Amino acid sequence: MAESTVVSDQQRSGSSQTALSRGPYIAVITNRSTNLVIRGFMLFSIGVFLALVLNLLQVQRNVTLFPPDVISSIFSSAWWVPPCCGSASAMIGLLYPCIDSRLGEPHKFKREWSSVMRCVAVFVGINHASAKVDFANNVQLSLTLAALSIGLWWTFDRSRSGFALGVVIALLATLSTQLLVYNGVFQYTSPDFLYIRSWLPCIFFAGVITMGNIGRQLALYECKLMSEKIHQD
């Protein structure tokens, strides 16, 4: 009886020492609920940052025009644009790995941070081209951006679920933008397709693919931490 008590005390002591050696960071980061919140906040922050930077390009080239009374930031953007983009980015980034898990098709194509950063760079380049590069007509611009957006998906994603989600979300985002323009929230300087620019769905599609890749990479990082914790236990 005394020996079993001693063994039990030693086991509890060993467990306590192991927990202390791991530190509170591992205990927090490997909690699924906490990690979900962390991922959501990171995706939201990335979305807000990209919205500020990319919207600055559009405003500087007079592609989009906001009423003077709603311009309230140093980035010449309406106050509601960054939070909306951040919320959409968090939703997309959390949805992509969830869909992969539901379909039982984990995404394994180019799963490293260097690939994700290149994807972000290409997305910024596509948005930059829509604002800076002059084309002969809108049709040529729209076809070029469509090819670049599909090329981005093929280079950094190649999953059927990623393509389908990108198309669906891009169409919904385009419809939402049309409603905002129709109600006078903002406007495009040279609309050529139902109050908006015809290339807008291409930008939305590329953005969805980009945020989906970031979300997948963050989820993969979480899985690695969980595996390490299980291995240590």
Side-chain angles (χ1 to χ4, degrees):
M1 183 66 178
E3 292 179 356
S4 61
T5 303
V6 171
V7 171
S8 179
D9 292 339
Q10 290 176 347
Q11 289 176 345
R12 284 196 295 268
S13 176
S15 300
S16 301
Q17 291 175 355
T18 302
L20 290 173
S21 64
R22 293 174 188 171
Y25 175 76
I26 294 296
V28 172
I29 203 67
T30 51
N31 181 277
R32 290 187 180 275
S33 299
T34 304
N35 195 270
L36 187 67
V37 174
I38 294 174
R39 279 196 286 140
F41 177 77
M42 293 179 66
L43 290 164
F44 178 85
S45 302
I46 294 171
V48 168
F49 175 76
L50 289 176
L52 292 171
V53 173
L54 299 180
N55 193 65
L56 176 63
L57 296 175
Q58 301 288 341
V59 173
Q60 284 183 338
R61 290 285 290 181
N62 291 324
V63 176
T64 56
L65 294 177
F66 293 94
D69 57 335
V70 302
I71 297 179
S72 56
S73 74
I74 59 175
F75 292 97
S76 298
S77 172
W79 67 268
W80 49 266
V81 173
C84 288
C85 292
S87 300
S89 299
M91 180 196 71
I92 294 167
L94 295 175
L95 183 61
Y96 261 69
C98 179
I99 294 297
D100 292 338
S101 177
R102 293 291 183 182
L103 295 177
E105 299 176 356
H107 189 259
K108 299 180 180 179
F109 182 70
K110 292 190 175 181
R111 293 292 86 208
E112 62 274 346
W113 279 111
S114 60
S115 177
V116 173
M117 297 305 297
R118 288 195 298 269
C119 182
V120 173
V122 172
F123 169 59
V124 173
I126 292 175
N127 198 289
H128 183 77
S130 70
K132 295 288 187 180
V133 180
D134 295 322
F135 287 82
N137 52 64
N138 288 325
V139 174
Q140 183 180 0
L141 174 59
S142 299
L143 292 176
T144 301
L145 293 181
L148 290 174
S149 299
I150 295 175
L152 181 142
W153 166 78
W154 179 256
T155 304
F156 299 104
D157 192 316
R158 295 192 185 182
S159 66
R160 290 174 296 178
S161 60
F163 185 86
L165 277 174
V167 171
V168 171
I169 296 175
L171 292 177
L172 292 175
T174 302
L175 178 60
S176 300
T177 304
Q178 287 176 326
L179 293 175
L180 291 174
V181 174
Y182 179 77
N183 287 282
V185 178
F186 70 99
Q187 62 179 323
Y188 286 90
T189 51
S190 301
D192 60 314
F193 178 71
L194 298 176
Y195 308 108
I196 63 172
R197 302 297 293 269
S198 57
W199 44 259
L200 192 60
C202 305
I203 299 297
F204 284 141
F205 177 82
V208 171
I209 298 300
T210 301
M211 294 310 304
N213 274 340
I214 295 174
R216 282 167 166 167
Q217 191 65 26
L218 291 174
L220 179 64
Y221 183 67
E222 175 189 355
C223 290
K224 287 183 178 180
L225 288 176
M226 292 294 293
S227 299
E228 291 176 0
K229 182 177 182 298
I230 293 174
H231 180 72
Q232 289 175 355
D233 291 340

